[in-house]
Amino acid sequence: MRILLYYLCGVFAAAQLGKLAALSPPIARELQLGLAAMAALTSLLEVCGATLGGVAGRWLPRVGLRSSLSVAVLALAIGAAASAFAQDLVTLALARLVESLGYLAIVVAAPVLIARAAEGRRQAAAMALWSTFVPVGMAVGAWAYAWAAGAVGWRPAQALSVAGGLLLWVSLRAMAASDAATRRAASAASAASAASATSSPSPTSLTSPASPASPMSSTSPTAPVEPAAPAPPPSPGATGALLWALVAAFGAYAVAEVGLLALLPSLLTQGGMPLATAGGWTAAAALANVPASAIGAWLLKRRGALSPAIAVAMAVSLGLSGLLFLAALRDGGQASTQALLAIAVNAASGVFPSLVFALLPLAARAPERLALASGRLTQFGASGALLGPPLMGAVVERWGWSAAGGLALALSALAIPLALFAWRRLAQSSEEKPDACTIGPHCARSAASRRA
């Protein structure tokens, strides 16, 4: 249940990406804002992630991940409420910045909490599920806010974010209260058991004297025992080349993927497709990541996170999607064919992020570094989401759609050696320390097969 709650927090955060895409036309008309201003407002949600992801990975564990998550969903609700009363671009930007802070905290804290709640054989599937939060949230947000804006206007539509944030906050607080009550009950039961054992002498103590070596024969039987000082929390430490390679591969993937989704409506409308239809195809393309992530989760369950099959799957996912990028983003194509190819791109590429998120706990090398690893992945993913649309758009304006397809292919090709390098380093470390593998039921078997 708690895994589902953490996942819903991520979906709610990603829905704020789809929200502004759906509300941009009425906002621009009422406040007399241009396309450049609306694009800047949309990208502001990723600014904190791109600039502060690593900092958040170090700082949030000190504050408390669950407390940070509770504050984050409230920040999204507060930002939406402020947007509903905004009368100019500056107020909208400040409100969006508050939402950006909440978004950052959620995407850093939630995957760490999911990984902790799903240790063992469920961890890979849970992390693969988490990898779908962006496409699911964007699709839900685009549909829900477009419907609400059409029914009551863009300002009252912000109430969806306020209600969603408050509901998630209440659920998180209720879960925290339940966990605290469980801990208190366990502590009380332990104290009662200890008191009962102390007050009831054992038969041995009634029939035989304490031996000289027994603690009962001490000259100070009532002397208090000093409790051991709690060990200081370990430092997050350095992440190493392994993690940097993994998150860099994810960043290259994000540039191409987000660039495609951002430009797809323009590509399809240029081919004569109505805007509403193009929006539907774009949502379908984003959702194609979900079944692809299910394939990744199935592969992790069957083969194990460090099986060579995972390396092959990452390379095939990136390579095939790169070739499909080249076919989808081209000049003079038929709009319906390009829409189907865009869905195929996401169906192929969606396997890769599910495997990256599943490998993240291993790449962190230690539980205390998992939040830092999540922050690094957030930073590279958000940077890719920021750079993708303007970079791909500039290439289209300068050299055409076919050049953008070539760029996407090059980015996919760049990600392949980085991902394989990270996987190989993980495989080598598991051979040296096979007990360090924490993902999937077949990791130990995979390591043993590689050694054989």
Side-chain angles (χ1 to χ4, degrees):
M1 184 63 182
R2 67 183 60 235
I3 293 175
L4 178 60
L5 181 57
Y6 297 147
Y7 175 73
L8 290 177
C9 289
V11 170
F12 175 63
Q16 311 313 305
L17 289 168
K19 175 183 76 173
L20 206 59
L23 300 183
S24 288
I27 292 176
R29 282 195 302 268
E30 180 176 333
L31 301 184
Q32 301 296 309
L33 300 177
L35 287 177
M38 294 310 303
L41 284 174
T42 303
S43 66
L44 271 179
L45 195 68
E46 298 280 8
V47 164
C48 287
T51 57
L52 301 175
V55 175
R58 291 180 179 273
W59 183 70
L60 290 183
R62 302 175 185 178
V63 177
L65 293 175
R66 290 205 293 186
S67 300
S68 301
L69 201 61
S70 298
V71 174
V73 294
L74 279 183
L76 291 177
I78 293 170
S83 297
F85 295 97
Q87 299 297 328
D88 53 39
L89 178 61
V90 174
T91 308
L92 276 175
L94 291 175
R96 194 65 169 171
L97 192 59
V98 172
E99 290 182 332
S100 179
L101 289 170
Y103 181 88
L104 168 64
I106 288 174
V107 298
V108 171
V112 179
L113 292 170
I114 288 175
R116 291 178 180 177
E119 291 181 355
R121 66 176 62 242
R122 295 191 304 157
Q123 192 180 67
M127 295 303 286
L129 171 68
W130 170 254
S131 72
T132 67
F133 82 97
V134 170
V136 171
M138 286 186 67
V140 170
W143 172 80
Y145 289 99
W147 174 83
V152 296
W154 72 269
R155 293 183 186 275
Q158 302 282 354
L160 290 176
S161 293
V162 177
L166 291 176
L167 181 60
L168 287 171
W169 180 80
V170 169
S171 300
L172 289 168
R173 297 307 300 168
M175 185 178 67
S178 175
D179 291 346
T182 301
R183 287 194 299 269
R184 286 194 300 267
S187 178
S190 177
S193 176
S196 175
T198 303
S199 61
S200 302
S202 65
T204 304
S205 64
L206 294 175
T207 58
S208 60
S211 65
S214 169
M216 295 299 294
S217 63
S218 170
T219 56
S220 302
T222 59
V225 179
E226 291 292 333
S235 170
T239 54
L242 186 162
L243 180 61
W244 285 111
L246 188 65
V247 299
F250 185 75
Y253 155 84
V255 172
E257 172 69 15
V258 179
L260 170 69
L261 292 176
L263 298 181
L264 185 57
S266 299
L267 174 66
L268 298 181
T269 53
Q270 285 185 15
M273 185 178 289
L275 180 58
T277 306
W281 280 109
T282 303
L287 287 175
N289 272 279
V290 177
S293 296
I295 294 173
W298 174 83
L299 189 61
L300 287 161
K301 183 178 180 181
R302 294 282 297 176
R303 297 289 186 175
L306 299 180
S307 165
I310 300 302
V312 173
M314 288 194 295
V316 170
S317 174
L318 290 169
L320 180 58
S321 63
L323 294 174
L324 289 169
F325 271 119
L326 200 59
L329 296 174
R330 60 188 178 89
D331 298 292
Q334 187 177 2
S336 58
T337 302
Q338 289 174 308
L340 291 173
L341 286 170
I343 292 178
V345 167
N346 283 272
S349 67
V351 175
F352 174 69
S354 69
L355 299 179
V356 169
F357 277 101
L359 290 174
L360 189 64
L362 280 178
R365 297 297 186 96
E368 61 271 11
R369 288 201 293 264
L370 184 53
L372 176 60
S374 178
R376 294 294 184 208
L377 189 66
T378 297
Q379 191 163 16
F380 274 74
S383 298
L386 276 177
L387 292 174
L391 177 61
M392 300 283 277
V395 170
V396 170
E397 289 183 353
R398 178 72 174 174
W399 294 288
W401 289 103
S402 297
L407 175 60
L409 174 61
L411 289 167
S412 299
L414 174 63
I416 292 175
L418 293 171
L420 293 182
F421 170 80
W423 177 87
R424 182 56 186 161
R425 291 289 294 269
L426 284 173
Q428 289 174 343
S429 69
S430 75
E431 290 172 355
E432 297 169 0
K433 297 180 180 180
D435 293 338
C437 181
T438 59
I439 299 180
H442 307 296
C443 288
R445 187 178 69 185
S446 298
S449 66
R450 286 194 306 276
R451 287 195 297 271

